[in-house]
Structure formats: structure tokens, C-alpha cells
Amino acid sequence: MPERRRIPTLPARLTDRLPARLTALRTPADPGFWRSPVRGARFTAVLGMVLLAGLTLVFVTGLLSYAAYNPDLDPVNDKTPGKGWLGFYLFAWPTGPHWLYRLTQGLHVTVGIVLVPVLLAKLWSVVPRLFALPPARSVGHALERLSVLLLVGGALFQFITGLLNIQLDYLFPGSFYTLHFYGAWVFLAGFVTHVALKLPQAVRVLRSGGIPRGGSVSPAAPDPLTAPDTLAAPDPLPATLSRRGALVMVGAGSLLLLITSAGRSFDGPLRRIALLTPRGGTEQGPGPSAFQVNKTAAAVRITPADTGERWRLTVRGPAGELRFSRAELLAMEQHTAALPIACVEGWSTSDQLWRGVRLSDLAALAGYPDGPPDVFVESLQRSGSFRKAALRDNQVRDGRSLLALEVNGAPLSPDHGYPARIIVPAAPGVLNTKWVETLTFGEL
């Protein structure tokens, strides 16, 4: 019988080729487990400063977006039960400039999208610290770790739900409005705590000499943030990309997202390349109604029978209940306003030329000749969110606030709210109710 040859086992083969210092099993808690030469305190500090500016802008514009709904006016405008003191910043949302919500919400969504590569790079840069043991070395360290948990969890939740909302993919349980509101406050708690703990160190790191051109920090000039809990790999692999190069890659990713998303707030070529936003290039065909909508008449089951000759607008107030046909509304004094439509998903149209009856004139017919009050608006739409909405008295008083019957010189199309819709300067798109059926003045 021929002699059997002994085949070395797999572990023996591997250990023969590995350096002795790597033969011991390493876990993510071991600093030597992480070997990228790109990680380092200065790299993380640069990303952190970008996020500090960007996330602050996103949070402030998010608060403004919430305030734009006038959530304390009526429960139909507010989907956040039990907000309590979290509503402390609320104020009467202004009607001017007329592009205000278009600007604030466009910034909120666009900056949020652009920050995605920066956020992912920042999380990658600090992954070793997430596995560091012991979990808490002191009360201060425990507070820092808790702030990181709230910051990372809150940021991921806000970014994921926000991006899904932009794509109109409501995969999460419950109302986006409620989830995003409370998620923002969880994120803020972690964000403020983390900034208070880390900002002084990050500033010292950036002042200490900038970002090295190579792949590691010079041992002769130790970084104030790398001792004793270093971000730089103690045993880095050979560098294939410098830290500056990594930052350029992150910036290029953000620039690409900017180019393919920001156009949904502009007309022309930029709108056509807004590939990441479903309402960026969605138009309603040629003609005066060739601008974006979120909800079509068919989608909410508005039929020609609902909007035909039998349709009447009901106006309620101290003068009683009045009913007007579309022809009677057209016979009233007509006014024109050039206003955009701007939605919470971040897309907007340019100014469209709307024509119709002023809400203040309808308030006068309802029994409020002086000082128009708030108004409660109801749509023909029977299901879905924001089929009812409340407008504050300052919005009703504005001469540009209309019950619009025409747009760009033609009757409203079914998808743009025929036979009548609300249009108010600087208001979120969902408060510009389409297919209006009832206006009730003064009972909010």
C-alpha cells in the first residue's frame, strides 16, 4: 500500500505565513484589529466640523418646517400628540417673503442629502471607539458613550426616515410626521451633549497643524485626541489613499448627490437631472398646468361627478351657510398672485400665476367684513392626510391668499385642484388644499 502523505491543516498553513504578532486572535475591542491608515483624529475632526455646521442648519430648518404648519392652531395641522414643552418655539408663520418655505424646506432636504457621505465617513472613522472596552471608565466617559448612542441612533433614524419620505416610500410604522418630530429631539439631545464634550478637542486638533499629507500621524507630534484612546491605527497597513484623498472622495460623493437632487427646486436643466427625487422632473404634460403635483385626482378618487356642475363651495360664518357654484365664484372680483408650490419632501415649483377670489373677501361674505379670522378648510378628498387644514388669520388677511380657480391663464386641471383650491404665500404645499368643498371662518 502506498504511503499516505500528510496534508497540513488550514490553521498551520495560515499561521506559517502570518507575522507572529498577528497569530493571536484579535477582536474589534483590540486597537490592532483596525488597520486602516486613513483613520485619525484630524480626519475625524474635519468631518465633525462639517457635520456641526450642516446638521445645525438641518435641525433649524426642520424646526421652521414644523412651525410652518401652525401646529398649535388646530389638531388637523399637528400629527404629534403630547408634544408638551417641545412646542415652545412656535410662532405665527409669516406669509412673506412668499418663497420662504421653498427656501427653508429646500435647504433642509438638500443639505440633509448632501451630508449622507459625510455622516457615513464620520461613523466609519470612529467605529474603533464604539467597540472600546471597558464601556465606561468614568462618569464623564459614560456620558460621552450615551451621547454617542443617542447621536448615532438618532442621526441614522432621521436620515433613513427622511430619505424614505423624499422617495414617498412610507415603509416605517406610524406617521412620518410624528416619528420625525420625536426622532429629531432624541438626535438633538445626543448632538448637543456630544458637541459640548468634543468641540474643544476638535478645535485643538485642527489648530495643531492640519491634516497630514501621508497616511498616519507623526509619532514626534502626538495628536491631543489620540492619547490614550487613539483613532489612528497602531499597526496600519500600507497606505493606498491619503487622508486628504479620502476627504476628496467624501466631498465628491456629496457633490454628486447635490447635482442629482438640488434641481427639484429649480426649473430648466437642473430639474431634469434631479434623478434622486421623484418630484424633481415629474410634470403634468405641456401647457399651463405643466408643473409638479404630489397627489393626483385619480390617486385620491376624485371623479368628474364630484367636481362637475353639481359642485358647490360651502362658506360658513356668522352670516350663516352660503353656497356658491364655480360660475358664481368666477363672477366675483378676481385677483392674481404669483406663488410657488413647495412641499415637505423638498421639491418646489417656480412661481405660478394663480387667479381667483381672495380669502379675505370670502371671509367678509361669511360675516367678517373687518379683521378676517382663521379658516378651516375641507376638501372633497375623503381619505388620506391633510384633507382638512387650518389657516391662521394672518394668512387669510394676506391679499395674495386666494381660493384659486385658474392657473397660468387657464382653468385648474383636475390634478391641480379643479374646481377650486387654496393658495397661500409661504405655506407648505399640504396646506394649499385642493378640491376645496367647505370654508368655515372663525371657529378655530
Side-chain angles (χ1 to χ4, degrees), residues 5-41:
R5 297 179 59 188
R6 184 177 180 184
I7 302 176
T9 62
L10 183 61
R13 286 181 176 179
L14 291 176
T15 54
D16 287 344
R17 298 181 183 182
L18 290 175
R21 65 180 181 274
L22 296 181
T23 56
L25 179 63
R26 285 180 169 172
T27 67
D30 183 352
F33 181 88
W34 309 97
R35 304 192 63 197
S36 172
V38 174
R39 286 191 180 92

Side-chain angles (χ1 to χ4, degrees), residues 121-358:
K122 176 66 160 57
L123 293 178
W124 173 85
S125 74
V126 298
V127 161
R129 285 189 173 170
L130 300 181
F131 290 91
L133 295 176
R137 298 188 299 271
S138 64
V139 174
H141 186 240
L143 183 61
E144 177 189 341
R145 297 299 292 269
L146 178 61
S147 74
V148 169
L149 176 64
L150 294 175
L151 178 64
V152 173
L156 290 177
F157 180 83
Q158 291 299 96
F159 273 79
I160 291 172
T161 55
L163 292 171
L164 288 173
N165 181 62
I166 294 168
Q167 300 301 324
L168 307 180
D169 289 329
Y170 302 108
L171 305 178
F172 35 79
S175 166
F176 165 78
Y177 193 90
T178 303
L179 293 173
H180 212 63
F181 177 85
Y182 286 114
W185 288 109
V186 171
F187 162 76
L188 181 66
F191 182 67
V192 170
T193 304
H194 193 73
V195 168
L197 292 171
K198 291 298 185 181
L199 182 59
Q201 293 177 323
V203 171
R204 287 199 302 272
V205 165
L206 294 177
R207 287 178 175 176
S208 66
I211 304 167
R213 292 185 179 276
S216 62
V217 178
S218 170
D223 195 305
L225 280 185
T226 60
D229 190 13
T230 179
L231 285 172
D235 184 25
L237 293 169
T240 58
L241 180 69
S242 70
R243 290 174 183 165
R244 289 186 186 274
L247 288 174
V248 169
M249 287 184 62
V250 173
S254 291
L255 179 61
L256 179 62
L257 291 177
L258 176 66
I259 293 172
T260 54
S261 62
R264 69 197 179 291
S265 297
F266 303 94
D267 290 331
L270 282 177
R271 190 179 291 277
R272 290 194 289 272
I273 61 173
L275 305 176
L276 298 183
T277 51
R279 293 298 176 265
T282 303
E283 298 182 353
Q284 301 302 298
S289 296
F291 57 96
Q292 292 68 28
V293 298
N294 247 4
K295 293 185 291 189
T296 64
V300 296
R301 300 179 181 178
I302 300 292
T303 67
D306 298 321
T307 59
E309 291 296 324
R310 297 177 58 184
W311 174 85
R312 294 292 184 271
L313 172 72
T314 300
V315 177
R316 298 191 181 110
E321 184 172 291
L322 309 174
R323 292 170 62 82
F324 301 98
S325 67
R326 181 176 162 84
E328 289 172 326
L329 291 169
L330 285 168
M332 297 179 185
E333 184 178 1
Q334 303 291 295
H335 298 270
T336 301
L339 300 173
I341 295 289
C343 280
V344 68
E345 294 89 2
W347 66 266
S348 61
T349 73
S350 57
D351 289 356
Q352 309 298 321
L353 198 63
W354 306 91
R355 187 168 176 80
V357 183
R358 282 177 173 166

Side-chain angles (χ1 to χ4, degrees), residues 62-72 89-93 177 392 428:
L63 291 181
L64 292 175
S65 178
Y66 181 62
Y69 282 76
N70 286 318
D72 60 337
Y89 56 86
L90 296 178
F91 55 92
W93 185 251
Y177 193 90
R392 203 180 287 276

